[in-house]
Amino acid sequence: MRRKTKLIHGGIAGDAHTGAVSVPIYQVSTYKQEAVGVHKGYEYSRTGNPTRHALEELIKDVEEGYAGFAFSSGMAAITAVMMLFNSGDHVILTDDVYGGTYRVMTKVLNRLGIESTFVDTSDISQIEKHIKQNTKAIHIETPTNPLLKITDLQAVSALAKQYGLLTIVDNTFSTPYWQTPLALGADIVVHSATKYLGGHSDVVAGLVVVNSEQLATDLHFIQNSTGGILGPQDSWLLMRGIKTLGIRMEEHEKNTRKIVEFLTNHPAVTRVYYPGLPSHPNHDVAKKQMRGFGGMVSFDVGSAEKAEQVLTRVRYFTLAESLGAVESLISLPAKMTHASIPKERRDELGITDGLIRISVGLEDADDLIEDLAQALA
Ligand SMILES: *Cc1c(COP(=O)(O)O)cnc(C)c1O
């Protein structure tokens, strides 16, 4: 099955009992047992629910893994994955990782004894330098948020295998339509399905796909024990979103290419960050591991004042956190998504006060360009 077909025919198609083409929303908490322990595969909906199961089978197929798991948010998914580790274990993460991931590692999981180090994973030698006796995993985001840095997934997975570490990839920005990390050697993929997978700014959800039976058993145990599961309504909404992921990603990409060209030629823009640009420092790696470069672009306008002018003048770009939806969104990472990262650290990373991030939606590209042009004038 090719990718677009798999998005529609992967997982469990429809309902075997009625022939319904769409998987029904099984709004139910418990299931009748014929005798003690004799049931049809479901006992209690925290442990398993047919609608959630259909979504978990779908994301497993789309990410080319062994098993899928649905959680109540991307952060619940990432936290559950980190629960695979023990007190005293160490994890290496990408330095401009999602703000919430940075926060859970440094303010919550550190209290439980899980240690973390943030390094520029786009430079493999930096990762190897920070591997310690107690290191258990490398958590990669590629492209990163908001600087769109690229890490070589094949090289990291090979390095991780050499040291017996797990490779975890947050695939939120690329989506499995453009990038399939498990096929490149990673062990675990995590998603904020709130973004492109849902695609319509109407559901908060997280997904995990693992590549082995052992990881599947361990993660199901954690999912059932800690309970941060996705409900049946949201599972259904997410399946509905995933069906159109292919066609949406193709259009996001087309619009983004036009906007990147406009921004690169604009005198008020000092720098454009996009992995599809030949001038991007890791463009070659991006080309090797991604089938498309996505709909996220960041650009620097030089100062906080100028950035705030753009943000208040745009009409079609909604000023909001989040990304990956049909409507274009605009944000100021330093004051919004990355505000929880200390200022000195942000400056170190290049997340300046004049850095604007856009998530290019599915409006007409000419309207979006006209809008940016008047806001930048
Ligand atoms: C949004 C996001 C998360 C967190 O997901 P939620 O669904 O908001 O909990 C994690 N990683 C990345 C890359 C994100 O963009």
Side-chain angles (χ1 to χ4, degrees), residues 60 63-69 84 161 165-167 182 185-189 208-221:
K60 172 202 81 177
E63 281 287 7
E64 302 173 26
Y66 180 86
F69 300 91
L84 291 168
K161 281 200 177 69
L165 316 178
L166 290 176
T167 303
L182 300 181
D187 302 287
I188 301 175
V189 166
V208 180
V209 181
V210 300
N211 74 345
S212 74
E213 185 177 4
Q214 186 59 55
L215 283 172
T217 305
D218 294 350
L219 198 64
H220 184 257
F221 185 81

Side-chain angles (χ1 to χ4, degrees), residues 73-75 78 98 141 170 172-173 192 194-195 204-205 323:
S73 69
M75 287 321 304
I78 291 167
Y98 177 71
E141 242 175 70
D170 184 330
T172 302
F173 269 40
S192 170
T194 314
K195 318 293 167 54
V204 173
L323 60 109

Side-chain angles (χ1 to χ4, degrees), residues 210-256:
V210 300
N211 74 345
S212 74
E213 185 177 4
Q214 186 59 55
L215 283 172
T217 305
D218 294 350
L219 198 64
H220 184 257
F221 185 81
I222 290 165
Q223 184 191 41
N224 189 39
S225 301
T226 57
I229 48 145
L230 192 65
Q233 297 265 355
D234 287 346
S235 295
W236 184 87
L237 264 176
L238 208 45
M239 281 190 281
R240 181 183 161 111
I242 291 172
K243 285 184 212 289
T244 58
L245 180 70
I247 194 159
R248 284 188 288 110
M249 293 314 285
E250 297 279 359
E251 285 296 310
H252 282 299
E253 177 94 1
K254 273 192 223 156
N255 277 358
T256 307

Side-chain angles (χ1 to χ4, degrees), residues 62-369:
V62 170
E63 281 287 7
E64 302 173 26
Y66 180 86
F69 300 91
F71 293 89
S72 53
S73 69
M75 287 321 304
I78 291 167
T79 305
V81 166
M82 291 300 169
M83 294 282 166
L84 291 168
F85 307 115
N86 297 309
S87 174
D89 287 350
H90 172 242
V91 181
I92 293 173
L93 297 97
T94 302
D95 56 5
D96 58 344
V97 76
Y98 177 71
T101 306
Y102 181 82
R103 181 171 55 199
V104 79
M105 296 308 297
T106 59
K107 300 246 162 75
V108 181
L109 294 171
N110 63 321
R111 292 195 281 106
L112 307 180
I114 296 173
E115 214 193 310
S116 44
T117 304
F118 298 85
V119 309
D120 181 357
T121 54
S122 66
D123 176 356
I124 299 292
S125 70
Q126 283 297 313
I127 304 180
E128 189 159 23
K129 218 165 77 187
H130 288 90
I131 295 174
K132 306 194 287 188
Q133 213 68 52
N134 58 341
T135 305
K136 291 289 152 56
I138 308 172
H139 175 105
I140 303 292
E141 242 175 70
T142 180
T144 60
N145 176 22
L147 296 175
L148 288 310
K149 285 204 283 191
I150 300 290
T151 292
D152 186 331
L153 291 176
Q154 254 169 336
V156 172
S157 305
L159 178 75
K161 281 200 177 69
Q162 191 188 322
Y163 284 89
L165 316 178
L166 290 176
T167 303
I168 305 163
V169 179
D170 184 330
N171 205 25
T172 302
F173 269 40
S174 256
T175 83
Y177 190 71
W178 292 136
Q179 174 173 279
T180 25
L182 300 181
L184 297 168
D187 302 287
I188 301 175
V189 166
V190 298
H191 276 284
S192 170
T194 314
K195 318 293 167 54
Y196 286 110
L197 295 180
H200 296 74
S201 305
D202 54 11
V203 60
V204 173
L207 294 171
V208 180
V209 181
V210 300
N211 74 345
S212 74
E213 185 177 4
Q214 186 59 55
L215 283 172
T217 305
D218 294 350
L219 198 64
H220 184 257
F221 185 81
I222 290 165
Q223 184 191 41
N224 189 39
S225 301
T226 57
I229 48 145
L230 192 65
Q233 297 265 355
D234 287 346
S235 295
W236 184 87
L237 264 176
L238 208 45
M239 281 190 281
R240 181 183 161 111
I242 291 172
K243 285 184 212 289
T244 58
L245 180 70
I247 194 159
R248 284 188 288 110
M249 293 314 285
E250 297 279 359
E251 285 296 310
H252 282 299
E253 177 94 1
K254 273 192 223 156
N255 277 358
T256 307
R257 279 177 191 276
K258 291 186 190 161
I259 288 175
V260 165
E261 197 192 322
F262 162 78
L263 290 172
T264 339
N265 294 313
H266 198 287
V269 176
T270 58
R271 198 163 165 188
V272 179
Y273 298 86
Y274 187 61
L277 279 173
S279 60
H280 185 286
N282 295 106
H283 179 64
D284 288 345
V285 178
K287 244 179 20 195
K288 184 180 72 167
Q289 68 191 15
M290 302 167 80
R291 294 175 286 260
F293 304 108
M296 299 302 299
V297 187
S298 293
F299 58 101
D300 209 313
V301 292
S303 72
E305 297 72 50
K306 186 86 189 164
E308 286 185 30
Q309 174 203 310
V310 172
L311 262 56
T312 50
R313 280 199 196 167
V314 283
R315 289 174 302 156
Y316 298 134
F317 286 85
T318 305
L319 175 60
E321 297 200 1
S322 198
L323 60 109
V326 292
E327 54 279 319
S328 293
L329 301 176
I330 192 162
S331 69
L332 198 60
K335 300 239 169 83
M336 297 169 70
T337 42
H338 290 63
S340 58
I341 297 178
K343 166 126 178 84
E344 316 81 74
R345 176 117 191 88
R346 284 202 308 263
D347 286 344
E348 240 171 67
L349 297 170
I351 307 172
T352 63
D353 291 346
L355 186 77
I356 295 174
R357 186 189 83 175
I358 56 175
S359 168
V360 178
L362 303 182
E363 300 91 342
D364 191 308
D366 293 337
D367 282 329
L368 297 177
I369 289 172

